[in-house]
Amino acid sequence: MAGYAVEIDDVTVRFRSKKRDVTALTDVTMRVEPGEFVSIVGPSGCGKSTLLKLSSGLLPASTGDVRLFGEPVNGPRKDIGYVFQKAALLEWRSARKNILLQAEMRKMPAKEAAARADELIEMTGLSGFEDALPHELSGGMQQRVALCRALLHRPPVLLMDEPFGALDALTREQMNVELRRIWQETGTTVLLVTHSIAEAVYLSDQVVMISARPGTVAGVVDVNLPVERDYGPTMAEPEFAKATRHIRDHLGAAAAAE
Amino acid sequence: MVTHTQSARAGQRERAGEASGVAERSRPGLGQRLGGFLERSWRPFALLAALFVAWWGVTAAELVEPYLVPSPGDTFDAIAQRPEYFWEHTWTTTYETVLGFVIAIAVGVVAAVAMVQSSTLEKTLYPLLLFAQVIPKIAIAPLFVVWLGFGLGPKILVAVLMAFFPVVISMVTGLKSVDPEMLQLSSTMGAKSGQTFWKIRFPASLPHLFSGLKVAATMAVTGAVVGEFVGANAGLGFVILQANGNLDTPVLFAGLLIMSLLGVLLFVIVEWLEQLLLPWHASRRDEGASTTI
């Protein structure tokens, strides 16, 4: 029962607005093993982000079950880390204090939190920028701060909602390489929503494809690439080409146009 | 793994390169800061001086009768002849203004927080607030005198009434302007609503609050003087009314001048506090790429 890190079982999500009812997700079933890196790709508005909100308990399922480590999710969960597309940093706090917000809210022991923050700052290459205010940091640096904040409490599950969507292409590639390394170092389960098929394949063990609204699982692709993935060489691997092509064909023109 | 760390190191080198492009500048000395202040503020001072010259010119050329518009000299003379008189009445008005302003802030902030917490309360209070705002203060001020007498009470009450609306409106806007993702993040951190309020909502609302406070500061002065007009035996409003009755325009002008200075001073203090408390806010930042240095 407690075998999966994230379990989404036959879930439907409907939003009710004044004018109409919208079914965002229907009959979605997916499972994520502990320690796995799973990406979710699909056209805009297919409910990818909704899947993350479900897993974190920020949004209830209309029907069906969501479980984290076998435990039903009802209400916001504390045992996750969340990264949004926007870094969502507090403007008045330095990078370090933004990271430590996580510890303050959770009332973690100060020493332990400080040590962990130092470790993450080092790991993400933020050293030297600890005291900078968010507006003094580049987009990539801001996102690194958000990532550190999400990892501070060593969450068993990390949820990332298009974390690199607002970055330029080069920074994005660099962040991909770093995220892959950080995932290997922390061993946490990652659920990543992305628009980029290349990003999904490079980073993941498994890519879940969601169809256009109402979103449902259109297929799952296992990525058979080695654990050690150099960026350039990985891109040139036949398996990489095969996986990206498969996903692109599956999602059709809608995703290709993105 | 080896190559991954290598590329990460390369990334770090790049970033170190970025960092080395940043040269720490030493803090500007007193002389430099004074120079900077003069450079920034000579324009408004020049305009003010030009207005004074125009005022002086008009009166010196006797374009208007002196009993209608006194010369700057006569106006300053009026103050110089009775400094205690002006000091005493300025102090009264200052006291009423500041007290009214502070009460308005307290009431306004508390009302805003309550209204943001409960939408029922918001719907109930909003029409009342609006009503309190649109009713002409000069029209209800006599009622306050009937209720509270000729003392400080009615003046402070009018000042509060005038100042607190901008405080409430700006604070409500500020508290609602928080990034919803920040709030979601906060709930995944297991934050209590008190923690979310003090660590996220409240600091995020301060820039909005301060723009409201700047409006409120000037309103408080007006409120206090309006209160004095209706019935008082002290304060700048009383000075002006009395001077008006005696057709003593130099004293009248002196009263007006001090009153304006009072408003400007209060405004400047609020702005200075804002600069001190919110150095992080976008509107307060130095122009990063200033070329005039």
Side-chain angles (χ1 to χ4, degrees):
Chain A
M1 188 67 180
Y4 294 104
V6 183
E7 240 181 314
I8 293 173
D9 228 0
D10 205 12
V11 162
T12 299
V13 175
R14 275 184 293 270
F15 293 114
R16 175 162 294 196
S17 66
K18 269 183 194 154
K19 288 200 182 119
R20 60 203 174 125
D21 285 358
V22 177
T23 305
L25 290 171
T26 179
D27 309 320
V28 176
T29 298
M30 62 181 281
R31 289 166 179 19
V32 182
E33 303 263 8
E36 233 183 355
F37 198 125
V38 174
S39 290
I40 301 166
V41 294
S44 282
C46 72
K48 300 186 296 286
S49 303
T50 308
L51 268 174
L52 294 193
K53 296 231 160 94
L54 275 173
S55 312
S56 62
L58 287 173
L59 190 85
S62 305
T63 61
D65 296 310
V66 182
R67 282 182 292 271
L68 241 61
F69 297 98
E71 228 182 283
V73 173
N74 3 304
R77 291 285 293 234
K78 287 176 69 180
D79 50 353
I80 53 148
Y82 217 124
V83 180
F84 293 101
Q85 180 172 353
K86 277 184 295 173
L89 302 176
L90 299 176
E91 290 179 82
W92 55 91
R93 284 177 169 238
S94 66
R96 193 162 202 284
K97 286 201 163 155
N98 261 296
I99 296 170
L100 286 171
L101 180 73
Q102 183 79 259
E104 290 172 29
M105 293 301 202
R106 288 168 188 275
K107 302 209 161 70
M108 282 165 70
K111 256 193 188 161
E112 183 196 318
R116 176 67 176 157
D118 290 339
E119 198 180 307
L120 287 166
I121 285 167
E122 171 80 37
M123 191 196 283
T124 52
L126 276 170
S127 306
F129 294 92
E130 294 97 327
D131 298 325
L133 289 173
H135 74 264
E136 296 166 330
L137 297 171
S138 65
M141 292 304 239
Q142 291 186 9
Q143 217 40 283
R144 285 186 179 96
V145 175
L147 184 60
C148 288
R149 181 180 57 192
L151 290 171
L152 190 86
H153 53 300
R154 300 177 195 274
V157 178
L158 178 62
L159 305 172
M160 306 182 84
D161 192 352
E162 296 185 43
F164 311 132
L167 303 181
D168 65 87
L170 276 175
T171 312
R172 187 168 190 159
E173 287 184 7
Q174 196 187 348
M175 293 296 284
N176 280 179
V177 173
E178 287 184 28
L179 179 60
R180 175 88 193 163
R181 177 177 54 86
I182 289 163
W183 169 69
Q184 284 178 315
E185 284 178 28
T186 56
T188 179
T189 312
V190 180
L191 211 55
L192 171 87
V193 163
T194 178
H195 270 133
S196 160
I197 294 170
E199 182 172 279
V201 173
Y202 170 74
L203 285 168
S204 319
D205 300 315
Q206 206 174 62
V207 179
V208 176
M209 296 176 287
I210 306 286
S211 66
R213 191 183 296 163
T216 191
V217 177
V220 178
V221 178
D222 287 307
V223 181
N224 296 311
L225 286 165
V227 178
E228 302 300 334
R229 299 179 188 179
D230 290 341
Y231 201 77
T234 303
M235 296 274 152
E237 293 248 1
E239 170 65 23
F240 183 85
K242 205 181 104 195
T244 49
R245 168 129 196 243
H246 181 75
I247 295 167
R248 202 160 276 132
D249 287 348
H250 224 92
L251 292 175
E258 300 248 335
Chain B
M1 195 63 204
V2 176
T3 38
H4 286 293
T5 36
Q6 270 173 359
S7 51
R9 291 280 173 274
Q12 269 166 9
R13 263 202 304 281
E14 269 173 42
R15 289 193 291 277
E18 272 173 38
S20 69
V22 180
E24 292 286 331
R25 237 178 301 109
S26 57
R27 271 181 71 83
L30 187 66
Q32 262 177 306
R33 270 186 287 171
L34 192 67
F37 175 75
L38 287 178
E39 197 182 291
R40 279 193 306 275
S41 45
W42 71 268
R43 272 167 243 267
F45 276 117
L47 181 66
L48 217 57
L51 282 174
F52 259 95
V53 170
W55 177 17
W56 175 81
V58 166
T59 50
E62 294 187 15
L63 293 175
V64 280
E65 295 295 332
Y67 72 87
L68 293 178
V69 179
S71 72
D74 288 346
T75 305
F76 289 115
D77 263 356
I79 300 175
Q81 275 166 17
R82 289 188 295 171
E84 295 91 14
Y85 174 79
F86 278 97
W87 176 250
E88 192 191 306
H89 292 294
T90 303
W91 175 244
T92 306
T93 303
T94 307
Y95 183 79
E96 293 159 357
T97 302
V98 172
L99 206 61
F101 184 48
V102 169
I103 294 173
I105 296 172
V107 175
V109 167
V110 170
V113 171
M115 279 163 63
V116 169
Q117 299 288 326
S118 146
S119 65
T120 327
L121 201 63
E122 181 175 2
K123 283 182 200 129
T124 320
L125 278 182
Y126 229 94
L128 192 71
L129 285 183
L130 195 66
F131 181 72
Q133 170 64 11
V134 293
I135 192 162
K137 307 300 171 298
I138 189 96
I140 47 166
L143 190 64
F144 294 156
V145 175
V146 173
W147 288 347
L148 302 168
F150 284 88
L152 293 177
K155 288 90 185 171
I156 293 171
L157 193 58
V158 178
V160 171
L161 268 184
M162 292 208 57
F164 107 119
F165 195 70
V167 177
V168 179
I169 297 297
S170 60
M171 189 69 183
V172 167
T173 312
L175 289 169
K176 285 185 173 174
S177 71
V178 183
D179 186 354
E181 291 189 340
M182 201 58 233
L183 297 176
Q184 291 181 342
L185 209 57
S186 180
S187 67
T188 70
M189 293 176 180
K192 307 263 184 308
S193 60
Q195 282 178 307
T196 306
F197 180 80
W198 288 113
K199 288 186 194 292
I200 300 172
R201 271 187 186 275
F202 185 71
S205 72
L206 288 179
H208 289 271
L209 176 65
F210 266 96
S211 56
L213 290 187
K214 282 187 237 171
V215 179
T218 58
M219 293 291 217
V221 183
T222 313
V225 173
V226 164
E228 287 166 359
F229 274 172
V230 176
N233 43 27
L236 292 171
F238 167 75
V239 169
I240 288 173
L241 269 193
Q242 235 187 6
N244 209 18
N246 302 337
L247 280 181
D248 191 351
T249 43
V251 170
L252 202 152
F253 265 61
L256 277 175
L257 203 65
I258 296 172
M259 208 182 282
S260 324
L261 285 179
L262 190 62
V264 171
L265 188 68
L266 201 57
F267 183 92
V268 169
I269 290 173
V270 172
E271 196 156 68
W272 174 76
L273 266 176
E274 181 186 25
Q275 216 147 14
L276 198 73
L277 291 173
L278 315 175
W280 48 270
H281 192 244
S283 67
R284 294 274 132 236
R285 281 171 211 154
D286 299 349
E287 292 297 324
S290 172
T291 50
T292 52
I293 301 169

